Amino acid sequence: MKSKVALFVGLFALSCMTIFAQDQGQGQGRGQGQGRGQGQGQGQGQGQGRGQQQAAPPAMDKVTPEIPGVVKAGTKIEIVKFGLRGSDAGMGMSDGSVLVSANGGVVKIDPDGNMTTLVENSEQGAGLTIDPKGRVIAAQYSKKVSVVYPKGSEEVLTDSFEGKPYIRPNDLVADKKGGIYFTDCYQVDAKRSPDDLPQAVYYIAPNTKKVTRVATDINRPNGITLSANDKVLYVNDWDSANLVAYDVQSDGTLKNRRNFATFDTKQTTDHGLVSGADGLCIDREGHTFSTTPAGVQIFNSKGEHLGNIDAPYDMPPQNCGFGGPDMSYLYVTGRGVVFRIHTLGKGVKERGK
């Protein structure tokens, strides 16, 4: 009897593995995977459980709580893709599709869930943005910020500051003039050197490769986005409880730093609880959405915490952006998974995050 039970369990497990492998094979394994596979630090914030692939398929039956002005109670959390080799970014495009860093490159997922590979090897691209020229620009863990698409337009915008290489460019956002803000920070538990650049936020001036360091007063700058009018820059501080905001000046520099919002803290470090805040996006009404170990944490335009949406898997989500018809879906990425939620608000046009 025991042998029959063991045989049944073995056959069932084998069939489940086969089904999961078939799903992975549907256009999802085409990238070259430099640094984007398991154990290679796929997320932007590598903390407890960070950089790990979600082993089991995500839950298909999860729904959202009621978050006034943001999402109705019981809204389905739709699984768009899973089984990818890493997933990051989530940059919405005008046709409703989203760009995702996955499988070692950049993939495009249309509103029906069909996936196309645009860039086979993004050189460890993490965060993505699109500038006013329509170029896709990546923050690359290979210590660069580069144009990676369209083909033929690839170029490195910056790979050093004051003669020193960056630590690990993490996330970025383009303004309406074509300037690029990006964050540079350590991977959690990374070995540090006194010769390293400080963890910081930088600005690449429009139509140039001139780089200015615009902020060094965040413990560990991570996800980054701009208000719809480009007047406020928001930055997640992974290593505190704060979402930080600055007023943007005409030359791209920043002033009036303030702690805009306070996260629920669940990330444990050797110096206490921190936010573990990773990716960041915003809608037209000024609601900010941060991916953290507590899920997607949502704040209104005044920085008031409205609520959290749990991820449909056990580990923290990594990034977010808006896409779908009229930018009315919040797309969330991480752990080889892409999921989306229909929201009451809409993403910022021409920005997608």
Side-chain angles (χ1 to χ4, degrees):
M1 181 66 181
K2 290 182 180 179
S3 61
K4 288 182 180 180
V5 171
L7 178 60
F8 173 77
V9 171
L11 289 172
F12 177 77
L14 180 60
S15 66
C16 290
M17 291 172 64
T18 302
I19 291 169
F20 184 56
Q22 287 172 345
D23 186 84
Q24 286 181 301
Q26 294 176 1
Q28 299 183 10
R30 297 169 56 188
Q32 295 179 20
Q34 288 198 9
R36 306 293 301 168
Q38 295 185 11
Q40 293 294 326
Q42 298 156 26
Q44 294 181 348
Q46 307 293 327
Q48 184 179 11
R50 309 304 284 174
Q52 298 177 8
Q53 193 79 352
Q54 177 68 17
M60 304 290 182
D61 59 350
K62 298 295 184 181
V63 296
T64 69
E66 177 83 19
I67 301 179
V70 176
V71 67
K72 293 180 180 179
T75 300
K76 181 176 175 56
I77 297 176
E78 303 175 41
I79 307 303
V80 179
K81 290 290 179 186
F82 68 92
L84 300 171
R85 280 188 294 108
S87 55
D88 207 328
M91 173 60 52
M93 302 182 73
S94 58
D95 64 357
S97 60
V98 293
L99 301 182
V100 176
S101 294
N103 294 345
V106 177
V107 301
K108 178 180 178 180
I109 303 175
D110 71 19
D112 295 323
N114 301 307
M115 190 172 80
T116 305
T117 298
L118 299 185
V119 179
E120 291 282 351
N121 181 4
S122 63
E123 296 187 46
Q124 301 179 53
L128 300 174
T129 193
I130 302 175
D131 72 3
K133 297 178 181 178
R135 302 182 302 173
V136 179
I137 301 168
Q140 298 161 300
Y141 291 166
S142 54
K143 301 181 183 293
K144 299 183 293 185
V145 175
S146 303
V147 178
V148 296
Y149 188 83
K151 290 182 180 179
S153 67
E154 300 92 341
E155 66 172 320
V156 176
L157 298 180
T158 182
D159 60 6
S160 62
F161 184 77
E162 296 181 344
K164 293 184 178 182
Y166 295 110
I167 300 168
R168 194 172 182 253
N170 190 298
D171 202 4
L172 73 177
V173 63
D175 64 25
K176 295 174 183 177
K177 297 182 291 186
I180 308 292
Y181 290 96
F182 69 94
T183 57
D184 187 37
C185 63
Y186 288 105
Q187 182 176 357
V188 172
D189 299 325
K191 192 176 213 180
R192 305 189 182 194
S193 166
D195 295 328
D196 290 343
L197 290 169
Q199 298 185 101
V201 179
Y202 294 88
Y203 182 66
I204 307 173
N207 304 311
T208 73
K209 294 186 178 180
K210 178 185 176 183
V211 181
T212 303
R213 189 161 58 207
V214 292
T216 56
D217 51 5
I218 301 176
N219 293 341
R220 186 171 182 268
N222 206 306
I224 188 168
T225 196
L226 282 160
S227 61
N229 61 9
D230 277 8
K231 291 185 177 181
V232 180
L233 183 77
Y234 300 94
V235 185
N236 279 342
D237 186 354
W238 187 100
D239 198 24
S240 81
N242 302 313
L243 171 57
V244 178
Y246 301 87
D247 294 331
V248 176
Q249 306 306 291
S250 59
D251 61 355
T253 57
L254 308 174
K255 74 173 186 179
N256 190 25
R257 181 211 189 276
R258 65 255 188 209
N259 293 334
F260 172 76
T262 302
F263 292 109
D264 290 340
T265 54
K266 291 190 175 183
Q267 178 71 54
T268 304
T269 68
D270 59 2
H271 52 277
L273 288 172
V274 299
S275 69
D278 202 334
L280 178 64
C281 61
I282 195 167
D283 69 11
R284 296 176 201 177
E285 288 73 38
H287 298 111
T288 51
F289 301 75
S290 294
T291 56
T292 80
V296 182
Q297 298 194 44
I298 302 163
F299 305 89
N300 66 16
S301 60
K302 297 179 180 179
E304 297 166 337
H305 185 203
L306 300 180
N308 301 341
I309 299 173
D310 291 339
Y313 44 77
D314 291 336
M315 291 186 288
Q318 292 168 242
N319 216 329
C320 60
F322 283 87
D326 200 24
M327 294 282 186
S328 59
Y329 283 83
L330 173 70
Y331 280 77
V332 184
T333 61
R335 316 302 167 193
V337 179
V338 179
F339 63 92
R340 74 177 191 174
I341 301 158
H342 188 260
T343 54
L344 300 175
K346 304 179 193 308
V348 179
K349 288 183 178 179
E350 312 303 331
R351 180 173 294 144
K353 70 167 283 181

